[in-house]
Amino acid sequence: MSDFPTKARVVIIGGGVVGASTLYHLAKKGWRDCVLLEKNELTAGSTWHAAGNVPTFSTSWAIMNMQRYSTELYARLGDEVDYPMNYHQTGSIRLAHTKERMQEFERACSMGRYQGIEMEIWTPEQAKARYPFLETHDLAGVLWDPSDGDIDPAQLTQALAKGARDMGQKILRFCPATGVTQKEDDSWIVHTDKGDIACDYVVNAAGYYAQRVGEWFKPYGGRTVPMMVMSHQYLLTEQIPEIEAWTKEHGKKLPLIRDVDVSYYLRQEKNGYNLGPYEPNCKGHWMTEDDVMPEDFSFQLWNDDLDRIEDIVADAMERVPLMQSSGVSSVINGPIPYAPDGLPLMGPMPGVRNAFEACVFTFGIAQGGGAGKVMAEWIVDGATEWDMWAVDPRRYTDYTDQTYCDQKGMEVYGNEYAMHFPHHEWPAARDKKLSPVHAKVKELGGVMGAYNGWERANWFAQDGDDTSEQATHTWGRSGPWESRVKEECEAVRDGVGVLDLPGFSRFFVKGDGAAEALRGLITGGLPKIGRINLVYISDNRGRILTEMSCMRLGEDDFVMITAATAQWHDRDILVKAMPSTVTVEDVTTTRDTLIVTGPKSRDLLAGLSGDADLGAGWLTHQAATVAGKPAHLVRVSFAGELGWEVHALNEDMPAIYEAILEGGAKPFGMYALNSMRLEKGYRAWKGDLSTDYSLLEGGLGRFVKLDKSQDFPGKAAIQNEMQQGVKKSFVTLLVDAGESDAPYMSCIWKDGEIIGETTSGGWGYRVGASIALGMVRAEHAMPGTALEVEIYGEKYRAVVQEDQPLWDPENLRLRA
């Protein structure tokens, strides 16, 4: 091939809608020497057989942003690139059968309103007026989304491809990538059947082939891509005269229907129906030795399996009796990739420099436009406009073996429209990572939750408490856990509690130049030897990238501790920032942590350790013997009481834990810890601390040292923001809440206008009030300001508090 490109800035592997969108958006940002490789024809994978629905609805802020952007792009794309497209924004009617579903709709409606999507809550009668063929007698209500609709997936992909080509990008069809080689400067050579292409960056956008492509990156620090493949069916009916007549009369298609409690969508397809179920008795493919993924499944389908979906089809026919007048004309049964949580993998490839993932899209057509925008920002700018942790590939770590992925993919598919209640834990593929005292925690009544694969107790049940999954199906704070969480908080307040906290991500960072490298990375200062402090890392815009606890053992010897879920995210940050003389060792899995806290914690530990200096002040650490075992005592407490973290090797922790329990400590769980950290105003990562906010907006200015010589990331941006003033301010609110506390991204109102959002919320059992942490426009952040917080459709009075902890504002208990 005389025109075969041997060099490119970016090579994208995969020619579906996401690959094409990424290529298009790279060109829009000015990178016009990029190449897309497709082993067959464009759209040959999941894009080809996709139904083409384009919803905006989501209860994930990041996903809603992506899907909203897609609808905005698709509405103008045909004209923008001069390519005809069938895009119908019909609106959708989402049906609710229960009060709980209506509360979910109210939450999504509020989020949509904040993003400029004019969703509305309708009565069943309003829905009937808009959709005369719909049976509404048993409905609790309806969510109307005017921007919902459908698009032709092939036309969309070709339009994006044309736009990219017109701006100079190259697309090589029938040119399969066969492998990659990374050079010493971290650039890449992508091998193909037609020659090699040298490039700076590689993007795995290979759809349901993404796991195979991901194997090529293992020699360079990669891992097996966490995914599986589901069989998804939808059926098309024959043409129906009544639909044709309605369409002619109104000049448009019927709205799309989603009966999320039964689990299907129903939309007009020409003058018939397209019915797409997500059945609980679902089927995965390519999961066993006798069902292996073929080398090429382009433009292929499986045989239909209507027995799996017959109950849902029957229900849909009762909901829209008009369906009964028509037969089935065809059934589409094709592969859809699923990550363990049903969300795509988008962002830096874990452990691999200059490689990205944009794959495993379950709803690729709806998210494709936004995905291209986000991927171009990741690659060109190194950061995205919106915080995209919800889809970041580094949210998964080493617990996602294939069995886990298969079980979770089946669970997510079978519960595609399920409500994600705040106290609910999904049961599939559990017990992937266990603390060394897991059995004892369970024996004590621990009701477990999964945190980056680690099992931790959320609360401790007693005999007779309802620990069933059904009991958690509520948006309210009340449940079997409530009285127990209150007791746990009171035990910490009045006596001493112990929390087993496996999975604390911890890294040993040491070697010549470690201190100077860290000073050039963090926004503030390092602790002295023997002390510990919080450090923050910002991106180049001055936004909050991560928070770590920094424990200094020597001049160039540190332990960096961070959230369980941040393990691979923060590992990559540290590894990238350190010179060759410094090692970064991940020791997360070799150690466990106990939080021992409360006014009687000193007395308890004094009886277990003869060599510990328990009079050492707050923010100190020391090696000591506890219950005859070597440990490290750290004088901090996320609960805001006198306390220590006890760090020890896994093999030593059972004896330590047993001795602490025998010393009178009451076990408490993550729900109690969350309640107590809210009372102290302590921020949680990827809720209150995210790249949606700058450090100054987050109220973290005291952790920034602009006068230090090191030019840390974001220094110039923070300096400029300090001069210009912040646009948003972090606030603590006391809320006159009802049965529920404010979830993440609840709207904050002032005089009928949205002026901010909550970042986390819950009940404070020590202060006896509902608390919300959040961000508001700076002019509304004065203490005493009366605001309103919208919680599941209802507005509740809230008052801005002083910039200090609600509990023990002077930290006297913490420093005791």
Side-chain angles (χ1 to χ4, degrees):
M1 294 177 64
S2 59
D3 61 344
F4 183 84
T6 57
K7 290 184 178 180
R9 189 172 282 188
V10 182
V11 170
I12 300 165
I13 300 171
V17 65
V18 174
S21 181
T22 301
L23 189 71
Y24 174 78
H25 283 86
L26 284 168
K28 295 285 281 185
K29 289 186 74 69
W31 283 27
R32 302 189 174 188
D33 50 353
C34 307
V35 173
L36 183 147
L37 302 175
E38 167 52 45
K39 70 190 296 183
N40 196 282
E41 180 58 87
L42 293 181
T43 77
S46 293
T47 301
W48 165 67
H49 62 78
N53 297 326
V54 188
T56 58
F57 179 96
S58 179
T59 52
S60 161
W61 188 253
I63 294 294
M64 182 178 278
N65 261 319
M66 268 207 313
Q67 294 179 169
R68 171 187 53 79
Y69 175 85
S70 291
T71 65
E72 294 166 357
L73 172 67
Y74 299 167
R76 66 175 188 269
L77 184 63
D79 292 336
E80 199 170 277
V81 303
D82 190 26
Y83 192 92
M85 286 169 44
N86 290 317
Y87 179 36
H88 309 282
Q89 285 190 286
T90 60
S92 71
I93 295 171
R94 196 172 284 254
L95 312 180
H97 295 244
T98 64
K99 170 193 169 186
E100 288 76 19
R101 183 66 76 175
M102 285 301 296
Q103 288 178 285
E104 181 198 50
F105 286 0
E106 291 278 13
R107 170 157 164 70
C109 192
S110 175
M111 290 170 60
R113 191 183 298 115
Y114 199 175
Q115 291 196 16
I117 305 167
E118 296 302 321
M119 295 179 179
E120 298 176 20
I121 299 296
W122 281 1
T123 64
E125 292 74 24
Q126 286 175 295
K128 181 77 170 179
R130 185 67 177 81
Y131 200 113
F133 311 117
L134 181 68
E135 291 297 317
T136 62
H137 60 281
D138 58 345
L139 299 179
V142 164
L143 175 68
W144 166 250
D145 180 356
S147 55
D148 207 336
D150 64 89
I151 197 167
D152 184 303
Q155 290 178 344
L156 169 60
T157 307
Q158 296 295 347
L160 291 164
K162 179 181 185 298
R165 288 191 187 102
D166 289 348
M167 288 184 281
Q169 309 283 52
K170 288 192 178 295
I171 297 176
L172 304 181
R173 298 171 300 135
F174 303 101
C175 182
T178 57
V180 296
T181 300
Q182 191 166 39
K183 297 159 69 175
E184 287 188 5
D185 64 356
D186 294 328
S187 66
W188 294 93
I189 297 172
V190 179
H191 309 293
T192 81
D193 280 353
K194 298 178 181 179
D196 291 346
I197 305 174
C199 62
D200 298 323
Y201 304 97
V202 182
V203 180
N204 179 357
Y208 51 72
Y209 295 105
Q211 194 174 81
R212 284 190 174 175
V213 171
E215 295 299 297
W216 303 340
F217 295 87
K218 278 189 172 179
Y220 311 106
R223 87 300 182 216
T224 300
V225 175
M227 62 171 290
M228 55 85 68
V229 177
M230 289 299 301
S231 157
H232 176 60
Q233 299 182 95
Y234 63 90
L235 58 87
L236 304 175
T237 73
E238 296 168 346
Q239 302 303 288
I240 300 173
E242 289 87 343
I243 293 179
E244 182 177 13
W246 191 95
T247 302
K248 285 182 177 179
E249 179 184 352
H250 294 87
K252 58 185 176 182
K253 293 172 65 174
L254 285 160
L256 189 149
I257 293 172
R258 283 190 174 82
D259 195 331
V260 289
D261 290 315
V262 180
S263 195
Y264 67 87
Y265 70 81
L266 181 68
R267 82 156 201 249
Q268 182 177 339
E269 184 75 26
K270 297 183 180 177
N271 289 314
Y273 277 119
N274 172 337
L275 172 65
Y278 291 90
E279 69 281 8
N281 58 328
C282 51
K283 182 177 182 180
H285 263 292
W286 304 331
M287 294 166 59
T288 59
E289 292 182 0
D290 58 352
D291 180 24
V292 178
M293 177 187 285
E295 280 302 313
D296 192 352
F297 200 69
S298 300
F299 297 114
Q300 295 184 56
L301 297 171
W302 294 302
N303 294 329
D304 61 61
D305 187 6
L306 292 179
D307 288 347
R308 288 204 328 254
I309 62 175
E310 62 180 353
D311 289 347
I312 294 179
V313 173
D315 193 284
M317 287 182 170
E318 292 181 11
R319 181 65 56 196
V320 182
L322 189 60
M323 276 192 71
Q324 300 174 25
S325 66
S326 176
V328 175
S329 65
S330 60
V331 178
I332 311 298
N333 184 12
I336 302 281
Y338 266 76
D341 61 3
L343 303 183
L345 303 177
M346 291 176 53
M349 188 180 293
V352 185
R353 294 177 188 256
N354 297 339
F356 294 84
E357 290 176 339
C359 52
V360 199
F361 280 78
T362 297
F363 298 99
I365 306 305
Q367 295 162 8
K373 172 189 185 296
V374 168
M375 291 310 304
E377 291 168 351
W378 264 127
I379 297 164
V380 176
D381 304 327
T384 53
E385 177 185 355
W386 318 304
D387 188 281
M388 296 304 297
W389 179 246
V391 297
D392 193 310
R394 295 168 295 184
R395 70 190 187 273
Y396 293 116
T397 60
D398 55 355
Y399 62 94
T400 56
D401 57 27
Q402 197 57 51
T403 299
Y404 176 89
C405 294
D406 291 345
Q407 291 177 0
K408 295 302 287 187
M410 298 275 283
E411 180 180 63
V412 171
Y413 182 96
N415 295 277
E416 189 62 66
Y417 292 123
M419 291 173 276
H420 295 265
F421 296 108
H423 295 95
H424 178 245
E425 295 282 341
W426 292 98
R430 295 295 296 272
D431 293 349
K432 299 306 290 185
K433 290 185 174 184
L434 304 180
S435 124
V437 297
H438 176 78
K440 183 65 177 179
V441 170
K442 291 277 287 183
E443 179 189 321
L444 293 168
V447 181
M448 311 305 285
Y451 298 81
N452 192 30
W454 291 95
E455 295 290 323
R456 294 176 178 173
N458 283 328
W459 60 287
F460 283 84
Q462 296 182 14
D463 289 346
D465 289 344
D466 184 357
T467 59
S468 68
E469 191 177 349
Q470 186 61 38
T472 67
H473 290 183
T474 174
W475 301 108
R477 81 177 68 85
S478 295
W481 54 84
E482 187 179 24
S483 62
R484 303 304 175 210
V485 174
K486 182 175 184 289
E487 291 166 2
E488 292 168 21
C489 291
E490 289 170 347
V492 172
R493 180 194 67 192
D494 301 333
V496 57
V498 59
L499 170 66
D500 178 45
L501 200 67
F504 239 166
S505 302
R506 52 169 70 89
F507 307 91
F508 289 169
V509 179
K510 56 186 174 181
D512 291 344
E516 186 58 25
L518 285 171
R519 288 190 192 100
L521 176 64
I522 67 174
T523 61
L526 293 173
K528 296 177 181 178
I529 295 171
R531 296 190 66 85
I532 182 172
N533 65 5
L534 282 177
V535 298
Y536 289 87
I537 300 170
S538 74
D539 64 17
N540 288 327
R541 303 164 299 179
R543 298 191 187 180
I544 305 164
L545 193 58
T546 195
E547 170 196 80
M548 300 186 193
S549 294
C550 177
M551 189 160 65
R552 194 168 192 172
L553 306 178
E555 182 60 32
D556 279 319
D557 190 354
F558 300 86
V559 182
M560 308 299 288
I561 303 173
T562 185
T565 52
Q567 183 182 1
W568 280 9
H569 178 276
D570 286 3
R571 175 203 65 184
D572 285 0
I573 291 173
L574 290 170
V575 169
K576 185 177 180 181
M578 292 301 114
S580 59
T581 56
V582 176
T583 59
V584 177
E585 182 185 3
D586 187 341
V587 294
T588 301
T589 59
T590 64
R591 288 158 173 79
D592 191 22
T593 302
L594 303 178
I595 293 179
V596 181
T597 185
K600 298 180 181 178
S601 57
R602 179 179 281 121
D603 295 339
L604 187 153
L605 289 172
L608 300 179
S609 178
D611 59 353
D613 178 8
L614 298 175
W618 188 43
L619 301 180
T620 60
H621 63 86
Q622 60 186 296
T625 301
V626 180
K629 302 294 182 180
H632 213 89
L633 294 179
V634 186
R635 178 74 195 278
V636 293
S637 173
F638 202 49
E641 301 282 353
L642 172 68
W644 284 260
E645 288 176 2
V646 182
H647 299 251
L649 292 170
N650 289 339
E651 56 266 32
D652 294 325
M653 193 55 89
I656 296 172
Y657 188 57
E658 192 69 47
I660 288 172
L661 291 171
E662 289 176 359
K666 180 179 176 64
F668 68 98
M670 296 299 291
Y671 290 171
L673 185 65
N674 185 61
S675 169
M676 291 186 283
R677 71 95 189 169
L678 285 168
E679 293 172 314
K680 295 297 292 183
Y682 295 158
R683 280 68 153 170
W685 191 66
K686 288 307 177 190
D688 315 298
L689 303 171
S690 82
T691 57
D692 283 331
Y693 310 115
S694 72
L695 267 83
L696 298 183
E697 288 174 335
L700 302 172
R702 66 189 183 280
F703 297 99
V704 177
K705 291 183 65 175
L706 292 175
D707 59 350
K708 68 177 183 176
S709 60
Q710 293 81 11
D711 187 23
F712 58 84
K715 185 174 184 178
I718 294 172
Q719 203 155 17
N720 182 64
E721 186 181 19
M722 194 168 284
Q723 293 168 352
Q724 300 293 325
V726 296
K727 296 178 180 177
K728 285 185 170 183
S729 291
F730 181 86
V731 293
T732 298
L733 302 171
L734 284 182
V735 188
D736 296 338
E739 297 177 352
S740 303
D741 301 306
Y744 174 68
M745 285 295 170
S746 296
C747 288
I748 301 175
W749 294 76
K750 175 72 174 176
D751 298 331
E753 181 186 10
I754 298 174
I755 53 94
E757 67 277 356
T758 62
T759 52
S760 58
W763 188 265
Y765 290 95
R766 290 177 299 191
V767 300
S770 183
I771 304 165
L773 307 183
M775 289 284 183
V776 299
R777 293 210 299 256
E779 63 267 28
H780 300 297
M782 287 291 293
T785 303
L787 304 172
E788 291 179 302
V789 173
E790 185 174 353
I791 303 175
Y792 304 117
E794 297 288 334
K795 293 178 184 175
Y796 297 92
R797 185 176 184 271
V799 177
V800 178
Q801 302 299 297
E802 295 285 346
D803 186 17
Q804 62 186 21
L806 295 170
W807 176 251
D808 185 25
E810 296 179 1
N811 289 327
L812 298 178
R813 299 170 69 93
L814 194 64
R815 299 172 186 267

